[in-house]
Structures are given as C-alpha cells and as structure tokens.
Amino acid sequence: MSQTLPLDHEHLQKLVTSDLVRPDQMLGAHQVTENGVAGVRFGVWAPNAQHVSMVGDFNGWNGFDNAMQRLDFGFWSAFVPAALHGQRYKYRVTGASGLTEDKMDPYGTFFEVRPSTSSIVWDQPYDWQDGAWMQARTQNFDRPVSVYEVHAPSWAKRDDGWFLNYRDFAHRLGEYASYMGYTHVELLGVMEHPFDGSWGYQVTGYYAPTSRMGSPEDFKYLVDHLHGLNIGVILDWVPGHFPTDVAGLANFDGGPLFEYADPRKGYHNDWNTLIFDYGRNEVVMFLVGSALKWLQDFHVDGLRVDAVASMLYLDFSRTEWIPNIHGGRENLEAIAFLKRLNEVTHHLAPGCMIIAEESTSFPGVTTPSPHGLGFDYKWAMGWMNDTLRYFEEDPLWRKYHHHALTFFNAYRTSENYVLAISHDEVVHLKKSLVAKMPGDWYMQRANYRAFLAMMWTTPGKKLLFMGQEFAQPTEWNHDAGLPWHLADVPDHRGIMNLVRRLNALYVGRADWHAGDTLDEGLQWISADDVENSVYAYIRRDPGSGAWSLVVANMTPVYRDLYPVGVPEAGDYRVLLSTDDGEYGGFGTQQPDLTAKAEGWNGQSHHLRLSLPPTSVLVLELVQDEDAKAAAVPTTKAAPKKAVEIEAMLPKSLQVTSIEPV
C-alpha cells in the first residue's frame, strides 16, 4: 500500500514550492484512522472554488453531509468515517461563478469503467516477486532493447468481445513476447481515459490503470509476470495535453486550473484538448508525481513521453500564438518541466528509461540536464520517415533516392535513438507496413523482409508495433483483435520467423547493439552504388572488435558474383538471408565464401556474392565454430509447430471469461 503523508501546512507548502514530488501520497483518497475512527481522508486542490463537498456511495451522493474544509494554498480536505474501500466518489465543486459540477479525483487510483466516471476508493497491497529485476535494471545504453509495442485492448479480446483481464493478458503476451525474442513491451495508453478511440492518449486518470482490463493489482501482476520472464515494461505517458471532458481536469474549480488560461497557449485545436500550465508548481508536481507513481509503485521500467514537440513549441500547429519572454517560440516552462521530470525520475527510480517522442531537431534531447532535456532516448522520426519513403518507392526509381538510407549515419550519434515503427505508421489510411511496399504480394513481402533486416542492423534500439511482426496486411483497428489466424499462414509465418531470427541475432551479438551511439558502431563499405541500389556496411562492437557484414540489394534484380570488400582474409558464412525459404524467399545459395586476396571498396580483401532480388545478407568471418554457435541463439534449431503457436496466441476460445470490473 502507498505511503500517506499528513495534509498539513508544511507538506502543502512543499507542494506549492515544487518540493513534494509525490503529491498523491497526500492528496486524493487515503484510508486512515483519525482519533481511533477508521475512514477515508480526501484531499483536493481547488483554489478558486467557493465550496467543495464529497459525494459518493457513503452518503447517498448527498452534497450536504460531507463538506470539505478549506486549507492553506487553495487545498481542501474532508475525513469521511463512513467511506469504505471499493466505494465510488466524486468531488462536488462550486466554482467562482456559482456553477456546481461533480469532478473525478485527479489523484484517483481506480475508476469506474467508461462511460461512468466515478472515482473508487482503492489502495490494496500487492506482494511483488521482482526484487532481483528491480535491482538490476538499467537504461540499457550498451544492451539490446527490442520493443514490442502493444495496444492492450485490441491485442486480443475475449470471446464475448470484452477486454482481456490484465492477468490473462500477462500470460498470453509474456509467452508470445518471449517466443519472439523481444526484450521489452511498450503499452499504448493504459492510463484511465474516457474514449476508446483516443487509444488512451486523452487521459483523465494519471494515477490509475484503466479499469477496462481489471484492478490496479491486476495491472501490477502483469508487470510482475513480465519481469519474471525477463521482459521490461514501458508505458506511453501523456503530459502534453488532456481532454475537455467536464468530469475530468478541465476547468476543475470553475475555471482554468490545470490548463493555461489563454487558449492561444492552453488549447490544442488539432486534438480538442487542453494543455497543462507548466508555470504552476502544483501542475508540475501533479505530472512528476504521476511519472513516479508508475515507475515506483507499479515497477514500470520506462515511460515514452508522447508528443514532446507539442510541448516544446508555443507555435506548434498554430497560426496565433504567444511568444516567450525573449520573443521566441520555445515554451520555456515546458522545457524546465521536462528537465525537472528527468532529473527526479532518474534520481528516485534508478535504471528507468525515459524516452521522448520528439519529431523536430530540438538540440540535446538526450543530453543530461541542465545542458539538455535529460531524456535517455529519442524516437528516430527522421530515420523512420526517410526509410519508409525509400521503401515505398518503385525499385526502378530508388537510385534517385539512394542516400535516404545513408543519411541517418550523418547524425545518428547526436542522440540516443530508438528506431520506432509505431502504431502511428499503420493507421489513418497510411496502410500496414507490408501494404506500403511496392509490387505484387511476393515482392511486397520481399521488400518488407529487407526493410526489417535493414532496421535491425541499423544502429539504434528497436520498436515494432503489434501485427507487423507477422505482416498484418490491413491497417490496425483498435476496435478489433489482431488477425491471429494469419500467423498460421506460411506467407505470414515466414515474416514472424524472420523477426524471431533478427531478435535472436540482435540480442546475441554485441556488434548489433553495443556501438549504437559510437562512430565505430557502423562502417560503410559501399554507400554509393546508386545504379545497382546496393549497400554494404559493417556492424562492429568497439569493445570486443566483433563484427558482421551487411549487404543489401534493393532492386528485384539477381546480382551474380557481386564484389564486396571485407577487412580480413578467411572463410565467411551467412548468418542471415532474408531470401531464405524459412522466411518466404527463394532460398538462393551462396558460392564460395572464401575472401579473395584482392582489395575492394578500400578493404584488403573481397567476397563475390550472389545477391538475391530485394534482399539483405548478413555474413561473419568463420572463427571458433563452437564459440560462435554458443554465442548466437538460432531460431532454426527449435521452431515451434503451428499447434504450439496456436496454444500461446490469444484465440478467443482459449480466453478465460472474466467479468468486467
């Protein structure tokens, strides 16, 4: 159970001076005993309210029985002896204008299932089993991070169409993510929200997992279970804006409170949402406390901060805006908030990863504060846009866009990047990833296999949205479960096998992940063969010197005995070919892979390779066979049969019926 702090002048003053980083331990609903009487103490911030009272199951929703007492600095408090665990409640707030509205608890830890909006008194103990994991977790700068991005409500559903419970979801997702070789899962908005179509990105409960899938303890079980499988958990977190729903934070005490008062600064026209007032300490601490709640109390390993660009710039998607005090477009208050957020979370939640979805070239996103914003990672939006645009081109024209695939190398060490192919790329008529590819169905899959191999062998952590690992042909639909039946179709199973193999190589080989942010991590062998659309580069571990060679042929043309320079003499072998029959290709075989003692591409030796159409090869120098076999896990040794896949996948008939909360 969470700690409860006294609602006294000292702690309230710490909050308003930005010194109390866990205000949820003071505000909200807390089960306490006062003068020998057990009950619930409620606390809320509403400085402009004329009157606030508690209404709920404990008083028949009567606004006269439990009036709140005004405290210092605009806070209110009430002790309700009759209140019990599991009872619903709201704050009945009368604003300065005299208008009275019932409000959800900003610090509520559990809520009714939408469309109902009551908060629920809830603070139950949970027996965590992940102590070793929590002690050992780090930001993984020199370790592999392969993230499976998941929208929990639509990953799978029960046979009656309702959401899986977090506990059932934990076992199904955990077994599948382990089988696929992912190191982390990232969950789209699981914080309480009123509208399913917002995917959880318009939050009303910043301290509560959505009740659609169970209780807070059920959610803790999900995290705990995944940790037991050595899978980290990242959550999408939205401190940039919140919905205009009357029951939520909007105009909380009768006027702007959590949001900026001026709509030129406090309203998002694109999203019909309100923007937090980062100039108010109480708001900043509300958000910092939310982040810590997930990292500390829920043992979450990281937060992906949504829409950071919208926070950084006052003119974001605006024609009318208010400059900062220097006349610039940067939101200095938001910048200060992000720096404070990263300082506090890294100090109080050691090993956590804070990741920015930042779509501009704002400097120093992953530079430690005070000189930078202090994030650990930034999504590589430029890499994503350049790479997808290249692969969407007809191969006939790719030579005119050749350096779209090399440009990332010019700036890849400027930040710590995550190569993210997220949900945003497979919705709103953007098509699924495989459907973006040109050509017929076979060529679409060949292009897609090449795309995945280029992604996994390019420096940066990896993120792939659910369904894309088996080449879902349609866009993601948040109202339906994934088309898991396709995982049994050979064309789609081949893509799944490839992603498994890529994850195994990525995790098992230091040269694929240890040098992500170092110049030595990638060495171009051939970056300028524009006419043939062929690329060759080496991935290297600067520590051990281990390396592998990547050769990509981006046209549907077979290239026989294509010369590629290599830095060492000896025999080579193929680690990966996206043309392998196991992945849905033709299974093109290589000729003699002994390096020729003739320089090429500035290297001392060269290989003559058979490059299959639209494919990627990865090769390594043969050394100690036994050591190599032990170092690199292989998916080929023990592939699961179709029936085994079916047993772990979330087929509706296998889902245990659990009643909604």
Side-chain angles (χ1 to χ4, degrees), residues 276-441:
F276 284 105
D277 183 348
Y278 307 107
R280 303 196 71 155
N281 288 338
E282 298 90 341
V283 174
V284 169
M285 291 298 97
F286 169 79
L287 291 171
V288 169
S290 168
L292 287 175
K293 173 78 173 179
W294 297 101
L295 296 169
Q296 292 182 322
D297 294 6
F298 286 100
H299 289 203
V300 166
D301 303 293
L303 299 174
R304 198 275 294 182
V305 182
D306 183 65
V308 169
S310 73
M311 302 168 64
L312 294 176
Y313 298 105
L314 296 163
D315 63 345
F316 180 87
S317 193
R318 294 181 186 278
T319 56
E320 189 177 0
W321 53 283
I322 305 172
N324 63 35
I325 59 174
H326 304 296
R329 58 194 285 256
E330 296 80 15
N331 187 333
L332 302 180
E333 295 165 343
I335 291 170
F337 157 67
L338 291 172
K339 291 184 177 184
R340 181 72 189 281
L341 166 74
N342 286 314
E343 289 172 349
V344 172
T345 52
H346 287 118
H347 178 64
L348 295 178
C352 70
M353 297 186 293
I354 311 296
I355 304 162
E357 184 208 16
E358 203 284 302
S359 56
T360 74
S361 56
F362 191 91
V365 172
T366 59
T367 299
S369 62
H371 303 293
L373 295 182
F375 286 94
D376 298 298
Y377 296 99
K378 169 182 173 173
W379 273 15
M381 309 296 280
W383 167 87
M384 179 270 297
N385 286 317
D386 290 342
T387 305
L388 285 180
R389 275 198 298 265
Y390 178 88
F391 273 90
E392 288 170 1
E393 288 284 344
D394 187 302
L396 182 65
W397 309 113
R398 283 178 179 170
K399 64 182 180 180
Y400 301 110
H401 306 274
H402 187 80
H403 290 294
L405 293 191
T406 65
F407 181 58
F408 181 57
N409 199 55
Y411 64 89
R412 66 174 178 80
T413 60
S414 63
E415 304 275 8
N416 301 327
Y417 283 109
V418 176
L419 309 185
I421 299 297
S422 73
H423 62 283
D424 282 329
E425 311 317 316
V426 295
V427 291
H428 302 322
L429 303 180
K430 294 179 183 177
K431 303 179 182 178
S432 69
L433 285 184
V434 71
K436 294 178 191 288
M437 304 296 160
D440 59 17
W441 176 233

Side-chain angles (χ1 to χ4, degrees), residues 525 561-570 572 592 594-609:
I525 299 298
L561 300 180
Y562 184 91
V564 177
V566 291
E568 295 185 46
Y572 287 73
D592 176 29
T594 300
K596 311 299 186 291
E598 178 184 352
W600 208 277
N601 300 129
Q603 305 301 310
S604 61
H605 293 71
H606 77 275
L607 297 170
R608 293 278 178 170
L609 301 175

Side-chain angles (χ1 to χ4, degrees), residues 53 105 123 243 273 317 369 413 470 488 594 599:
S53 61
D105 188 348
D123 188 13
T273 54
S317 193
S369 62
T413 60
F470 58 81
D488 289 329
T594 300

Side-chain angles (χ1 to χ4, degrees), residues 3-142:
Q3 180 182 359
T4 299
L5 297 175
L7 253 174
D8 57 17
H9 178 87
E10 177 186 357
H11 287 87
L12 292 172
Q13 186 174 44
K14 286 183 177 181
L15 174 52
V16 300
T17 57
S18 194
D19 285 334
L20 187 67
V21 296
R22 286 296 303 267
D24 60 304
Q25 295 177 348
M26 180 175 66
L27 300 176
H30 292 272
Q31 299 175 73
V32 298
T33 299
E34 292 191 4
N35 299 319
V37 178
V40 177
R41 189 197 71 194
F42 297 94
V44 69
W45 178 50
N48 300 306
Q50 294 185 41
H51 178 80
V52 184
S53 61
M54 296 305 308
V55 294
D57 293 334
F58 42 78
N59 62 14
W61 299 88
N62 180 344
F64 300 101
D65 290 351
N66 298 110
M68 302 191 80
Q69 176 186 2
R70 183 187 288 272
L71 306 176
D72 298 328
F73 310 113
F75 294 89
W76 299 75
S77 176
F79 175 70
V80 182
L84 299 172
H85 169 80
Q87 290 186 320
R88 300 170 300 158
Y89 70 95
K90 286 187 178 182
Y91 298 104
R92 184 158 292 172
V93 181
T94 302
S97 67
L99 178 66
T100 298
E101 294 177 321
D102 287 354
K103 289 288 189 176
M104 302 166 67
D105 188 348
Y107 291 94
T109 58
F110 196 31
F111 293 88
E112 287 186 288
V113 178
R114 55 92 180 102
S116 299
T117 57
S118 294
S119 308
I120 301 175
V121 176
W122 202 274
D123 188 13
Q124 294 287 90
Y126 179 82
D127 184 18
W128 288 96
Q129 304 296 314
D130 64 348
W133 171 276
M134 295 296 289
Q135 284 290 112
R137 72 178 183 182
T138 74
Q139 283 89 1
N140 299 293
F141 293 126
D142 59 351

Side-chain angles (χ1 to χ4, degrees), residues 194-250:
F195 177 49
D196 291 4
S198 78
W199 313 333
Y201 290 111
Q202 294 194 13
V203 179
T204 49
Y206 276 82
Y207 288 77
T210 179
S211 56
R212 292 167 175 82
M213 298 182 67
S215 70
E217 292 70 52
D218 294 333
F219 182 81
K220 290 177 180 179
Y221 180 89
L222 164 64
V223 177
D224 204 8
H225 182 74
L226 291 175
H227 284 173
L229 297 173
N230 292 316
I231 297 173
V233 180
I234 302 167
L235 300 187
D236 285 2
W237 186 62
V238 192
H241 60 119
F242 58 92
T244 57
D245 294 57
V246 172
L249 299 177

